[in-house]
Amino acid sequence: MPAPQTKPRSASAALKAHSAAVSTPIADIARFLQDNLGQRLTARMAGINDAKQVGRWAAGTSRPRPEAEARLIDAIQIFHLIQAAESVYTARAWMIGMNPQLEDMAPALCIADDRARDVMVAARAYVEATDGTHVAGLTDS
């Protein structure tokens, strides 16, 4: 009798991250990303030059264009996926650090380059590989 099929850990976490991302108002998404990744990087991911515009989105005084909104939703969904598996600090580091699955580019910069799908694939692989553990020898904790 074959073993029952179980969903990968990342599948469940990805569904939760997606649900949270699509149900969160864009002002809250902009505020969260601004608080966790900074105004400049959030603007870059959204594809805009004026970083102060992110603050206006976060305050709810203006809305991003559809392309920028889609990138922000992608970014928070990916951030939440990593955060659910690890921590907010790990998610931040994962988003801004070099990633070997993304040709050593930072996931946040790949989102800026319209490669959110590639970033999600890398995020799911990370969640599956870590399974809540840390790479031995790289940290003392």
Side-chain angles (χ1 to χ4, degrees), residues 67-120:
E67 317 81 56
E69 185 171 348
R71 287 177 173 183
L72 296 177
I73 291 169
D74 291 343
I76 199 166
Q77 182 176 342
I78 294 162
F79 193 103
H80 281 325
L81 175 60
I82 300 296
Q83 181 182 353
E86 294 286 332
S87 70
V88 69
Y89 306 107
T90 301
R92 182 181 189 285
W94 191 90
M95 290 290 285
I96 64 174
M98 289 191 305
N99 188 302
Q101 287 189 280
L102 300 169
E103 298 88 38
D104 292 328
M105 285 186 64
L109 299 181
C110 290
I111 292 169
D113 290 342
D114 290 322
R115 294 181 54 207
R117 187 173 185 279
D118 294 340
V119 176
M120 179 56 84

Side-chain angles (χ1 to χ4, degrees), residues 9 85-86 127 129-134:
R9 179 174 182 238
E86 294 286 332
V127 168
T130 60
D131 193 27
T133 61
H134 299 282

Side-chain angles (χ1 to χ4, degrees), residues 30-92:
R31 188 176 317 105
F32 180 89
L33 292 172
Q34 177 181 256
D35 290 349
N36 287 284
L37 298 175
Q39 201 169 48
R40 278 192 221 143
L41 183 55
T42 301
R44 176 123 186 243
M45 285 189 302
I48 63 168
N49 294 324
D50 181 10
K52 291 182 181 180
Q53 185 63 42
V54 174
R56 291 188 281 276
W57 296 339
T61 59
S62 70
R63 287 188 61 90
R65 291 191 172 142
E67 317 81 56
E69 185 171 348
R71 287 177 173 183
L72 296 177
I73 291 169
D74 291 343
I76 199 166
Q77 182 176 342
I78 294 162
F79 193 103
H80 281 325
L81 175 60
I82 300 296
Q83 181 182 353
E86 294 286 332
S87 70
V88 69
Y89 306 107
T90 301
R92 182 181 189 285

